[in-house]
Amino acid sequence: MKLALVISTLGAGGAERAAARLAAQWSAAGHDVTVITFSAGSFYEFPAPVKRLELTGAGGRIAGNLRRVLSLAGAVRGLKPDAVVSFMDQTNVTALLASFFFGAPVIVTEHADPRQYSPGRAWELLRRLLYPRAAAFVAVSRGALEGFPPALRRRGTVIYNPVDPPPAPAAGEARKVIGVGRLSREKGFDLLIEAFAAAAAENPGWELEIFGDGPERAALEAQIDRLGLRGRARLPGRTPDVYGELGRAGIFVLPSRFESFGIALCEAMACGLPVVSFDCPTGPAEIITAGEDGLLVKNGDAAALAAALGALMRDTGRRRALGGRAAQSAARYFTPAIAMQWELLLGDMTRR
């Protein structure tokens, strides 16, 4: 097939990582793949067969959005793909508006639970009006799909985000707790730092590293200083080698207040790390079987998180057992398996 993938940017986010992995996998399977963005540059590297098309210079808000619609319509008409796959709410709306000017079917993918996150009233209205026009609607978790209106839910399909197999399993012996994600409030890293401070007080020698960047960096740095964790807790910034960093850790924590899925959680499990996560409204409970391949604690409860962390810090055998089962569980999210689910959807859609 000839496929066009449309996403606003190719920064370090989860949806961007999913788009990059699917593009590479589909290209390796022999499909003709073009990734279209509305900004220049990419955090991810693509294999040579994957083509990139950057539609930059949008301008102001209303005029810029109109320009995006028209430039995307022109690009798709030029490419003549069998299908367009769009990622995330505002880009989905843009792609569906552009589809009035081209004939290819559009599949929209939602990477957020609408009950937890809103793109704004105008975008919500456009989403309600335009999503029925999509050839298919994909959500990245059952919980996220349940947040949409019944009519759209009935048309929806759940396909989880893809995870690449790690190059090597983590040793899991390092006395280091790791978190990965955007430094923003919904990711809950303030709660992780609070919990780590309590657990580390009784477990000397353990360290904390949180990889990512975002608007909460200054507040988190101040919290680290306030809790006397300077030298034991660090915010190294973004990393292009997530698996490398996971391989040097001993415990992974997902402290999000809300999630749609949890790619970083799956990556840590794939590496064979013991994982602890808040049982936030959507995502982690679909990934973790509590007590078997990871630990779930009450959402937002830093004291419960500290207790779970402390227990794992003291129990090497428990860490090894959870990590071993986590690696087995994560295999169902590996990119080839997820890409095959997409291929079945694409094949069925293009036949129809």
Side-chain angles (χ1 to χ4, degrees):
M1 288 182 285
K2 193 172 188 179
L3 302 173
L5 279 62
V6 185
I7 189 164
S8 180
T9 70
L10 282 169
E16 293 87 345
R17 204 177 317 174
R21 284 172 174 163
L22 288 171
Q25 179 68 30
W26 284 333
S27 177
H31 301 300
D32 183 336
V33 179
T34 300
V35 178
I36 303 173
T37 60
F38 298 118
S39 63
S42 173
F43 187 76
Y44 304 98
E45 293 184 2
F46 291 88
V50 176
K51 295 180 283 294
R52 290 272 285 109
L53 187 56
E54 298 172 346
L55 308 177
T56 57
R61 182 180 295 179
I62 296 175
N65 288 328
L66 178 59
R67 201 169 289 119
R68 284 192 182 97
V69 169
L70 296 177
S71 62
L72 179 59
V76 174
R77 281 201 308 269
L79 289 171
K80 296 181 174 62
D82 296 303
V84 174
V85 182
S86 175
F87 294 81
M88 297 195 290
D89 41 35
Q90 293 185 21
T91 303
N92 294 340
V93 168
T94 301
L96 289 169
L97 285 170
S99 72
F100 283 98
F101 304 100
F102 61 74
V106 177
I107 299 175
V108 298
T109 72
E110 273 286 351
H111 291 255
D113 181 345
R115 295 166 296 188
Q116 305 293 333
Y117 166 79
S118 169
R121 289 184 180 179
W123 290 104
E124 284 185 356
L125 175 61
L126 287 169
R127 184 165 60 183
R128 284 198 299 271
L129 292 172
L130 291 169
Y131 272 27
R133 180 177 173 78
F137 168 62
V138 174
V140 297
S141 67
R142 293 191 302 273
L145 180 62
E146 289 168 3
F148 286 89
L152 194 57
R153 213 160 52 226
R154 286 192 292 271
R155 297 183 61 230
T157 300
V158 174
I159 302 180
Y160 294 116
N161 278 327
V163 173
D164 284 343
E173 303 298 328
R175 297 167 74 82
K176 181 191 293 184
V177 177
I178 187 172
V180 178
R182 188 166 187 264
L183 304 186
S184 51
R185 187 179 185 280
E186 74 274 8
K187 295 300 183 181
F189 289 122
D190 57 320
L191 299 173
L192 172 54
I193 292 169
E194 180 183 342
F196 176 79
E202 300 177 358
N203 295 277
W206 281 83
E207 298 179 342
L208 170 66
E209 286 192 330
I210 300 171
F211 288 89
D213 216 339
E216 293 293 305
R217 170 175 285 278
L220 296 175
E221 293 279 11
Q223 184 184 15
I224 287 170
D225 287 337
R226 187 171 64 253
L227 294 174
L229 294 174
R230 185 61 61 187
R232 294 189 71 182
R234 291 179 292 278
L235 307 176
R238 294 173 182 163
T239 174
D241 183 19
V242 172
Y243 278 148
E245 300 300 342
L246 290 170
R248 291 183 281 273
I251 300 171
F252 175 86
V253 180
L254 185 80
S256 298
R257 290 178 166 90
F258 63 88
E259 280 283 348
S260 56
F261 178 60
I263 286 183
L265 175 61
C266 292
E267 289 172 336
M269 293 174 70
C271 286
L273 278 180
V275 298
V276 186
S277 174
F278 280 139
D279 189 9
C280 55
T282 59
E286 294 182 41
I287 299 168
I288 293 173
T289 302
E292 294 188 17
D293 53 16
L295 302 180
L296 288 171
V297 299
K298 183 180 177 182
N299 192 32
D301 190 335
L305 180 58
L309 269 179
L312 280 183
M313 288 173 173
R314 292 186 291 272
D315 193 339
T316 304
R318 179 69 164 151
R319 295 200 303 274
R320 289 174 181 164
L322 286 174
R325 289 193 290 269
Q328 295 172 5
S329 296
R332 67 187 186 271
Y333 304 114
F334 284 170
T335 302
I338 298 299
M340 182 57 67
Q341 294 178 41
W342 269 100
E343 292 220 22
L344 292 172
L345 174 65
L346 286 163
D348 178 63
M349 185 198 66
T350 51
R351 280 194 298 274
R352 286 189 282 111

